[in-house]
Amino acid sequence: MITRLLHIHLFLLFMTVWLPVSAEKVPSAEDSVIAVAPQLDSIEVSILTCTPGKDMYAKFGHTALRVRDYTANRDVVFNYGCFDYNSNNFVLKFLLGKTDYLLDAEEFDFLKYRYGRLGNGVSEQVLNLSQAEANRLLVLLLENLRPENQEYRYNWLYDNCTERARDMIEKALEGEIEYSDVVDEDVTVRDMLHECLEKSPWVSFGIDMILGDEIDRKVDRRVMMFLPDVFRQESDGAYIMRKDGERVPYIMERNTVLEDMNGPDKAYMILSPLFLFSLLLLCTVSLFLQELKKKKYTAWMDVTMHTCQGLAGFLVAFLFFLSEHPAVDNNWLVIMFNPLPLFYAAWLLYCYRKGRKNLLSYINLIVTAGFLVTMVFCLQSFNPAMWVLMLSFLVRALSQAHFTYHRER
């Protein structure tokens, strides 16, 4: 999306215009703000919240910080949500949870043009900062924009672009923020994700499939601010408690930069995972009844299902054992979704063609039935479509075990 050369150019531009320093010594953020504050006396900082987009990485919205210097007529947006897709092994690093995101800076008009073309909405909350605090925040952002500082290890739940923006504001304040506590704390991260993805059932199913029981535990309000809209809501009625005891509103002005022109996504029930897996369950039951009637086992359905199970299991197992992403290493679905079903599918086909007894069918039945019991009692919450899918596997496991038993007799 962006290149390192662009970042270096932007950094040099900002440091030249906004933060002149001696070539002999690079001052610390604290030293710099003392030097700059008297010169920049008309800075205004805003939180920009962008509505969710159509692309997967934009499904949850976005947060950025807008800094305006009215004296010098500069209007710049600092964005912690950038990444370099052209970097080496980006996809592999992303799966491993070793993705480094970048702080970028761009003209506000360019951001407005970009989101306007996408049809996304952008709302603005102007922060009630003193000029000393605004200068301190600007210096912190410019320090982060240095080529040696602009990268950070992205963590979608605990350290993302929204939380970075929040933390930088808090670091610059002479006091503490009392957030409005308007968001219900009696929800889990999974509940919050489901609400955001209500119109994207396949994305919701995929996320439920790879994330384990960590996101089914109650979390504190700060963790809940990983979602841009939650941070916006919490900030809207918040107050700053200054060190001298003064309590002032955190937000002093609210503006709509762009109206959301996309409208809500359309969810087609007929293409949802729940609908399609319900059809699969009906097919498996119908096939089993037909097999019982004809007293003849049919292998094609099982080979196909276990092959798909094993292929999906590669991703689940890869994330479970190797990824640093939060919540993927305590996923109970790894019991059923791992590469082993691929070998079982090959064994099924071999036994069917050679007319051999499939003694592994008993183990398959025990594991499948046992996992369904586990789904009831474990802490992890499962997507409704996953329950239907597991019932389909149970029906086919019963078929395999039934015909193995009667072949033995």
Side-chain angles (χ1 to χ4, degrees):
M1 180 184 293
I2 49 180
T3 64
R4 187 172 299 276
L5 181 61
L6 174 60
H7 286 293
I8 295 174
H9 173 74
L10 282 169
F11 169 73
L12 292 175
L13 173 64
F14 282 113
M15 295 302 288
T16 300
V17 177
W18 251 340
L19 195 60
V21 297
S22 168
E24 298 178 357
K25 176 186 177 184
V26 177
S28 66
E30 291 76 7
D31 295 334
S32 298
V33 76
I34 294 173
V36 202
Q39 302 174 29
L40 303 179
D41 56 1
S42 57
I43 300 178
E44 184 178 85
V45 183
S46 306
I47 300 170
L48 298 180
T49 304
C50 308
T51 60
K54 301 293 184 182
D55 296 323
M56 177 58 204
Y57 67 85
K59 285 290 183 182
F60 303 102
H62 182 55
T63 300
L65 294 177
R66 179 185 184 184
V67 179
R68 281 174 284 187
D69 180 357
Y70 287 101
T71 301
N73 194 28
R74 287 187 289 267
D75 194 350
V76 177
V77 174
F78 291 86
N79 176 9
Y80 281 96
C82 299
F83 54 89
D84 187 356
Y85 188 79
N86 295 318
S87 64
N88 293 333
N89 302 316
F90 176 84
V91 175
L92 178 60
K93 289 179 180 178
F94 181 83
L95 291 174
L96 288 171
K98 298 181 178 180
T99 309
D100 290 326
Y101 271 46
L102 303 161
L103 170 63
D104 187 21
E106 62 181 345
E107 291 291 336
F108 171 73
D109 287 340
F110 181 67
L111 176 137
K112 188 176 178 180
Y113 170 77
R114 204 157 39 84
Y115 277 95
R117 288 194 62 184
L118 295 172
N120 292 85
V122 179
S123 63
E124 179 183 37
Q125 296 166 298
V126 182
L127 297 175
N128 190 12
L129 304 182
S130 67
Q131 283 303 297
E133 290 171 330
N135 274 278
R136 186 179 295 111
L137 178 54
L138 174 59
V139 171
L140 291 172
L141 292 170
L142 290 173
E143 287 289 322
N144 270 194
L145 196 63
R146 291 178 180 275
E148 67 269 22
N149 297 335
Q150 66 183 165
E151 286 189 351
Y152 71 99
R153 182 55 50 86
Y154 179 82
N155 184 308
W156 69 271
L157 184 57
Y158 301 115
D159 192 6
N160 66 11
C161 54
T162 298
E163 291 161 310
R164 282 264 162 169
R166 176 201 64 192
D167 294 347
M168 296 306 291
I169 297 170
E170 293 178 351
K171 191 174 181 180
L173 286 177
E174 296 174 351
E176 295 183 354
I177 302 174
E178 296 178 353
Y179 289 101
S180 57
D181 296 345
V182 297
V183 179
D184 183 11
E185 278 194 326
D186 192 29
V187 294
T188 65
V189 171
R190 198 184 300 274
D191 294 330
M192 299 171 68
L193 296 177
H194 283 175
E195 184 176 353
C196 294
L197 300 171
E198 183 180 2
K199 302 297 184 180
S200 303
W202 278 105
V203 177
S204 182
F205 176 80
I207 287 178
D208 282 341
M209 188 170 180
I210 63 175
L211 298 181
D213 62 19
E214 182 176 334
I215 65 168
D216 292 304
R217 304 165 189 168
K218 298 294 189 298
V219 293
D220 62 34
R221 197 170 299 278
R222 287 192 68 81
V223 174
M224 294 169 70
M225 291 186 206
F226 81 98
L227 287 179
D229 198 54
V230 173
F231 177 50
R232 179 190 62 79
Q233 293 179 59
E234 289 292 324
S235 299
D236 211 33
Y239 286 85
I240 302 174
M241 181 61 70
R242 303 211 183 275
K243 293 181 179 179
D244 60 4
E246 183 184 13
R247 188 171 182 262
V248 299
Y250 183 46
I251 305 299
M252 68 177 183
E253 185 181 333
R254 299 161 186 81
N255 303 306
T256 299
V257 177
L258 290 172
E259 295 284 354
D260 188 359
M261 305 302 293
N262 287 323
D265 292 336
K266 295 181 180 179
Y268 298 98
M269 184 62 186
I270 197 170
L271 297 177
S272 70
L274 183 59
F275 179 81
L276 294 180
F277 290 148
S278 295
L279 287 181
L280 176 63
L281 178 59
L282 289 175
C283 288
T284 56
V285 172
S286 176
L287 180 59
F288 188 26
L289 294 176
Q290 187 179 21
E291 288 172 330
L292 292 176
K293 183 178 180 180
K294 294 182 178 181
K295 298 182 179 180
K296 183 179 180 181
Y297 171 67
T298 306
W300 65 268
M301 174 72 84
D302 296 344
V303 172
T304 302
M305 288 178 61
H306 287 300
T307 299
C308 294
Q309 179 187 7
L311 291 175
F314 267 112
L315 177 60
V316 175
F318 179 88
L319 294 173
F320 183 90
F321 290 106
L322 300 176
S323 180
E324 295 180 7
H325 281 297
V328 298
D329 58 349
N330 50 357
N331 185 0
W332 289 83
L333 279 172
V334 77
I335 297 173
M336 291 296 295
F337 289 93
N338 55 72
L340 291 179
L342 287 174
F343 299 99
Y344 184 60
W347 173 253
L348 264 175
L349 188 60
Y350 172 78
C351 291
Y352 180 73
R353 289 183 173 178
K354 297 294 184 178
R356 295 188 54 175
K357 300 173 184 177
N358 177 20
L359 298 179
L360 292 180
S361 64
Y362 298 133
I363 298 177
N364 180 51
L365 177 60
I366 293 171
V367 171
T368 305
F371 183 71
L372 271 165
V373 175
T374 301
M375 290 174 72
V376 176
F377 295 103
C378 75
L379 298 176
Q380 185 169 333
S381 176
F382 299 94
N383 193 285
M386 183 58 69
W387 285 92
V388 179
L389 180 59
M390 287 298 102
L391 287 174
S392 299
F393 278 112
L394 179 63
V395 171
R396 295 313 305 162
L398 286 169
S399 173
Q400 297 163 29
H402 170 82
F403 283 99
T404 298
Y405 175 75
H406 284 283
R407 181 182 292 275
E408 287 181 343
R409 295 187 67 185

